[in-house]
Amino acid sequence: MDTILEARLHTQQKSSQNGRETSLWSSGFGMKLEAVTPFLGKYRPFVGRCCQTCTPKSWESLFHRSIMDLGFCNAILVKEENTRFRGWLVRRLCYFLWSLEQHIPPCQDAPQKIMESTGVQNVISGRAPGGAGEGQVPNLVKKEVQRILGHIQAPPCPFLLRLFSWALLRFLNCLFLNVQLHKGQMKMVHKAAQAGSPLVFLSTHKSLLDGILLPFVLLSQGLGVLRVAWDPRACSPILRALLRKLGGLFLPPEANLPLDSSEGVLARAVIHAAMEQLLVSRQPLLIFLEELPGAQGPRLSALGQAWLGLVVEAVKVGIVPDALLVPVAITYDLVPDAPRYAHHASAPLGLWTGALAVLRSLRGWGCSHRVCVRVQLAQPFSLQEYTINARSCWGSRQTLEQLLQPIVLGQCTAVPDTEKEQEWTPVTQPLLALKEEDQCLIRRLSCHVLNASVASSAVMSTAIMATLLLFKHPKHTLSLLRAHVALLRVRQGDLLVVPRPGPGLMDLARLSTELLPAFLSEAVGACAVRGLLAGRVPPEGPWELQGIELLSQNELYRQILLLLHLLPQDLLLLPPCQSSYCYCQEVLDRLIQCGLLVAEELSQQSRCPDFFLFLCRLLSPLLKAFAQAAAFLHQGQLPDSESGYVEQLFQFLQDTAQEEGFFECADPNLAISAIWTFRDLGVLQQTQSPAGPMLHLSPTFASRDNQEKLEQFIRQFICG
């Protein structure tokens, strides 16, 4: 039976005792809002557990049950007690003595073992497809193997590691107020390390500093030297040579050559052998599954998927019986300027450029503006167990055009009972060399792990301030956001915090996106409710909803499904083992828990629409960018290349932001997401031409009537 849900959107009247309080903002419903506490922590389960569907044994065994009883530690706080010595001189030299006491295991003779591996020997002898074969001298091939291996890695230098740890410890204490790490999570990882399988840390990516900070934190906690898979495009040759001595790994450029290239075959054989030797020696590995926030393109890293594919293949062929995957999340109050600017520079980051950036950051931030960092470690799980169980969860999938286009055009109303297939991350040659089934496994595994990492991410005070303009630590947070907010003194010494109008709102919008994962289910549900209610109120009329609105559960399910299909998979990161209908039920449960919806048989509850409005506006930048992209279809100059049309749309978003004052949409990444979504939806089509791939309007959406239907379909989910 179709359950009736009540959406409580009426306002509560203030008591006479609180009459002196004044409302600061007006809502899109035409109502004034009151200050509320929207975060209902008592309803939120502990985050960080692995998937019980895909890895039930890991869920049960690799969890430290008293994890919540242990507090946080500051990973960069080193004092006399952290060394074996005592005295006034030790207190002055504690950083140096601490770096000397760190356990750095001796390096094994990896190059010789890699040369003797089966895969490399098959290529050298010509037994493998694309190998040396006749006409090629094996000695020359061996020299080529050594050259490729030198590009991938180098034996870590213990003296350089200790010296770098000492210098980095001083640098981090100057740059950060603290680096918080949960001791219970660390104990959970130590327990997993004792199982005997190699640890593979799969992390989010917020800054170039992540590749230096995370290895330092884990080295300080006794996990040894972390091997970090770096992006070779981000570093100059000199910096790459230094990072290799510190444990860095780099994918050789030959690995991306075509599958039938002999140089590519040899490079891929060497990188497979290097990964196998690393896992056999049980050295911990760090892979970034996420592109840096400033990078334009898909969220999931193609390079990260390539490295993860090497791990999966090594476990599959039995080089190691298993590997334990550890989702990692790192969050900053505010990403330091130096690494962020270095990333956006046109040239790769060089050694001297990085040194100058460090000096500028130390001078610019100073002691009064140091930021906090939080490192979150989710529950480790078995790769072998996931590989066995995950394949049974795969069902049929359809393209976005098949799922959504008939509904947008009004040709049908029923939503197909199937999942959406949407892959934006390009496939690299190392991944193409694997079987298609393994490629699918790696793509879905990376999405699953990144979902776990993002779900574990801490919400920093700057993200809360940027989103709500409320404050948790007023002196600290407001000083970090001083360039983006204005402080207005009102009566009796109170402060009113408002955002500065203009393009600076884009920076606040980027910070506020860190809050979206914590409320994503509720935000999707609120926008779906808004879509249902949109048909009950005239578009020009005020949103003065009084009393109780009755909503059909089936209708709400349908609205949630439509919105799920519209939103990019890069944003949702839905686990592949979870169906859309299960997620719909989760969304409804969240809305009921927070009091926005009440089942008919439940007791009466009352909530202000403040929280409803807040949830809707979390998705407003993306949805408004999509709606403006639909409105731009009849103005855009097509056909055009993808990059050219992105520039056109981004300029339109900027012009619209200047007119309307809504700068949160003026983001090139939102323009890219809109164009890629419209391409998947069949609004735009891509064809080959002598000048390269070109975008043009599909015949279906060449008519202005269908373009308006698309815009109306998107705008039904936008509040305000």
Side-chain angles (χ1 to χ4, degrees):
M1 182 180 293
D2 187 13
T3 304
I4 301 298
L5 301 176
E6 302 173 357
R8 299 192 168 276
L9 302 173
H10 60 279
T11 55
Q12 291 179 328
Q13 299 297 326
K14 296 182 181 180
S15 63
S16 58
Q17 290 85 354
N18 298 330
R20 60 184 184 88
E21 298 181 3
T22 57
S23 176
L24 302 182
W25 297 283
S26 62
S27 74
F29 293 93
M31 297 179 289
K32 294 185 177 182
L33 306 181
E34 300 172 3
V36 297
T37 304
F39 190 87
L40 305 177
K42 61 182 179 180
Y43 294 122
R44 294 190 171 275
F46 171 74
V47 294
R49 298 296 301 269
C50 62
C51 180
Q52 195 173 10
T53 302
C54 300
T55 53
K57 293 181 180 178
S58 300
W59 188 88
E60 185 65 33
S61 62
L62 297 178
F63 180 65
H64 180 46
R65 298 191 180 279
S66 59
I67 184 174
M68 300 305 295
D69 299 333
L70 302 175
F72 288 89
C73 66
N74 182 4
I76 61 174
L77 179 62
V78 174
K79 299 186 293 186
E80 177 186 1
E81 291 77 11
N82 300 104
T83 69
R84 293 179 298 160
F85 309 99
R86 297 293 181 268
W88 68 270
L89 186 58
V90 174
R91 287 192 289 272
R92 294 181 177 272
L93 301 176
C94 58
Y95 287 3
F96 177 73
L97 294 173
W98 174 88
S99 63
L100 291 179
E101 292 180 353
Q102 296 306 301
H103 173 65
I104 298 177
C107 301
Q108 302 176 357
D109 189 17
Q112 185 62 30
K113 293 182 179 180
I114 292 172
M115 185 70 72
E116 296 172 355
S117 67
T118 304
V120 173
Q121 286 298 316
N122 287 341
V123 174
I124 293 177
S125 62
R127 292 192 296 269
E134 297 181 0
Q136 296 191 36
V137 182
N139 288 334
L140 295 179
V141 179
K142 290 181 179 179
K143 291 183 179 179
E144 183 67 11
V145 170
Q146 293 173 350
R147 185 192 66 81
I148 295 173
L149 186 58
H151 186 99
I152 297 172
Q153 65 180 18
C157 176
F159 170 76
L160 191 59
L161 280 167
R162 298 185 192 279
L163 179 64
F164 187 76
S165 297
W166 168 75
L168 185 61
L169 183 59
R170 299 192 66 88
F171 168 69
L172 294 177
N173 274 280
C174 293
L175 193 62
F176 300 131
L177 192 64
N178 54 57
V179 177
Q180 297 178 357
L181 181 67
H182 198 283
K183 291 185 286 188
Q185 295 174 354
M186 200 65 242
K187 189 171 183 179
M188 183 170 57
V189 173
H190 277 295
K191 179 182 178 182
Q194 295 171 2
S197 298
L199 294 177
V200 181
F201 296 89
L202 303 170
S203 176
T204 60
H205 207 6
K206 303 302 180 186
S207 165
L208 283 176
L209 270 179
D210 300 348
I212 298 174
L213 178 60
L214 287 175
F216 171 83
V217 169
L218 297 177
L219 173 66
S220 69
Q221 301 301 312
L223 287 177
V225 178
L226 197 66
R227 309 304 294 268
V228 184
W230 287 87
D231 186 352
R233 300 168 299 176
C235 309
S236 67
I238 297 178
L239 185 56
R240 287 201 297 267
L242 174 62
L243 292 175
R244 286 191 203 101
K245 289 292 185 180
L246 298 174
L249 300 173
F250 293 90
L251 202 67
E254 295 86 356
N256 286 311
L257 293 177
L259 298 181
D260 57 355
S261 167
S262 59
E263 294 88 353
V265 171
L266 180 61
R268 287 187 285 272
V270 175
I271 191 64
H272 272 279
M275 178 58 68
E276 292 169 0
Q277 179 58 33
L278 187 148
L279 294 175
V280 168
S281 62
R282 293 181 56 194
Q283 299 181 58
L285 173 66
L286 172 63
I287 299 174
F288 293 107
L289 290 182
E290 191 178 33
E291 294 285 358
L292 282 170
Q296 296 185 10
R299 181 177 185 179
L300 283 164
S301 169
L303 182 64
Q305 289 187 356
W307 283 105
L308 181 58
L310 297 172
V311 177
V312 172
E313 188 69 9
V315 174
K316 178 185 175 183
V317 299
I319 299 299
V320 290
D322 198 3
L324 293 178
L325 307 185
V326 186
V328 181
I330 181 169
T331 47
Y332 300 83
D333 271 337
L334 205 62
V335 177
D337 291 340
R340 182 178 60 186
Y341 293 156
H343 167 68
H344 289 294
S346 57
L349 180 64
L351 184 60
W352 298 113
T353 306
L356 291 175
V358 167
L359 293 176
R360 283 198 302 268
S361 66
L362 292 177
R363 182 184 64 180
W365 284 72
C367 294
S368 60
H369 299 138
R370 290 186 297 169
V371 302
C372 298
V373 186
R374 177 77 66 85
V375 177
Q376 298 284 125
L377 302 173
Q379 182 181 4
F381 64 92
S382 165
L383 174 59
Q384 184 70 30
E385 184 186 12
Y386 178 87
T387 304
I388 295 172
N389 296 332
R391 299 180 193 271
S392 62
C393 301
W394 298 351
S396 61
R397 292 173 178 262
Q398 292 184 355
T399 64
L400 185 60
E401 182 177 356
Q402 295 170 325
L403 287 172
L404 212 54
Q405 189 183 104
I407 299 175
V408 171
L409 299 178
Q411 298 171 355
C412 73
T413 57
V415 183
D417 185 13
T418 184
E419 302 302 313
K420 177 178 65 173
E421 181 66 39
Q422 188 177 57
E423 295 291 346
W424 287 355
T425 305
V427 182
T428 58
Q429 293 296 327
L431 212 56
L432 282 175
L434 305 178
K435 295 180 181 178
E436 185 174 350
E437 184 182 11
D438 294 333
Q439 296 178 31
C440 184
L441 172 69
I442 293 163
R443 288 196 300 267
R444 296 185 179 184
L445 172 60
S446 60
C447 180
H448 208 311
V449 175
L450 187 57
N451 172 273
S453 298
V454 171
S456 303
S457 299
V459 179
M460 309 302 281
S461 56
T462 46
I464 298 174
M465 170 63 76
T467 308
L468 305 175
L469 290 181
L470 301 174
F471 46 91
K472 182 179 180 182
H473 303 293
K475 294 183 178 179
H476 179 60
T477 305
L478 291 181
S479 65
L480 295 176
L481 296 178
R482 62 191 182 281
H484 311 304
V485 299
L487 302 180
L488 306 179
R489 187 173 297 278
V490 294
R491 63 188 185 282
Q492 297 180 354
D494 292 334
L495 285 179
L496 176 63
V497 185
V498 294
R500 294 182 184 273
L505 290 175
M506 293 171 56
D507 293 324
L508 288 178
R510 294 189 188 101
L511 280 172
S512 68
T513 56
E514 297 180 9
L515 196 64
L516 179 58
F519 293 100
L520 182 58
S521 298
E522 292 91 335
V524 169
C527 289
V529 171
R530 197 278 182 212
L532 273 182
L533 298 179
R536 305 186 181 187
V537 179
E540 301 83 9
W543 280 88
E544 289 276 4
L545 297 180
Q546 302 291 339
I548 298 174
E549 290 289 333
L550 297 180
L551 305 176
S552 163
Q553 180 172 318
N554 287 342
E555 291 178 355
L556 192 51
Y557 263 33
R558 180 180 180 275
Q559 287 296 112
I560 296 173
L561 282 174
L562 293 178
L563 185 55
L564 287 180
H565 292 328
L566 177 65
L567 295 175
Q569 175 65 14
D570 272 16
L571 171 70
L572 295 171
L573 294 176
L574 295 182
C577 61
Q578 184 182 32
S579 69
S580 298
Y581 282 91
C582 290
Y583 188 76
C584 288
Q585 187 59 52
E586 179 183 331
V587 168
L588 287 183
D589 291 342
R590 294 285 185 89
L591 293 180
I592 292 173
Q593 286 171 354
C594 65
L596 292 177
L597 293 181
V598 181
E600 189 179 38
E601 66 273 16
L602 297 181
S603 60
Q604 301 296 313
Q605 300 181 19
S606 59
R607 287 280 174 186
C608 295
D610 312 37
F611 192 25
F612 178 84
L613 204 61
F614 158 76
L615 294 173
C616 288
R617 287 178 176 173
L618 285 177
L619 288 172
S620 287
L622 176 69
L623 292 174
K624 286 189 176 181
F626 280 20
Q628 291 178 14
F632 180 68
L633 289 174
H634 73 281
Q635 302 180 29
Q637 302 298 319
L638 290 173
D640 196 357
S641 64
E642 182 180 294
S643 60
Y645 194 63
V646 168
E647 288 294 330
Q648 289 188 52
L649 178 57
F650 179 52
Q651 185 61 49
F652 175 76
L653 295 178
Q654 287 182 312
D655 295 341
T656 306
Q658 292 288 346
E659 296 174 2
E660 300 180 358
F662 194 82
F663 288 89
E664 293 89 329
C665 294
D667 190 325
N669 281 318
L670 294 181
I672 293 174
S673 294
I675 291 174
W676 287 357
T677 301
F678 284 6
R679 185 184 59 194
D680 294 344
L681 186 56
V683 179
L684 299 172
Q685 294 180 345
Q686 187 169 293
T687 57
Q688 295 294 330
S689 70
M694 302 293 287
L695 288 176
H696 62 88
L697 265 177
S698 67
T700 304
F701 286 90
S703 69
R704 186 67 183 276
D705 183 49
N706 286 345
Q707 294 175 13
E708 291 178 352
K709 288 180 180 178
L710 175 62
E711 184 179 359
Q712 292 172 3
F713 175 81
I714 299 171
R715 289 196 178 277
Q716 68 175 320
F717 300 110
I718 302 174
C719 187

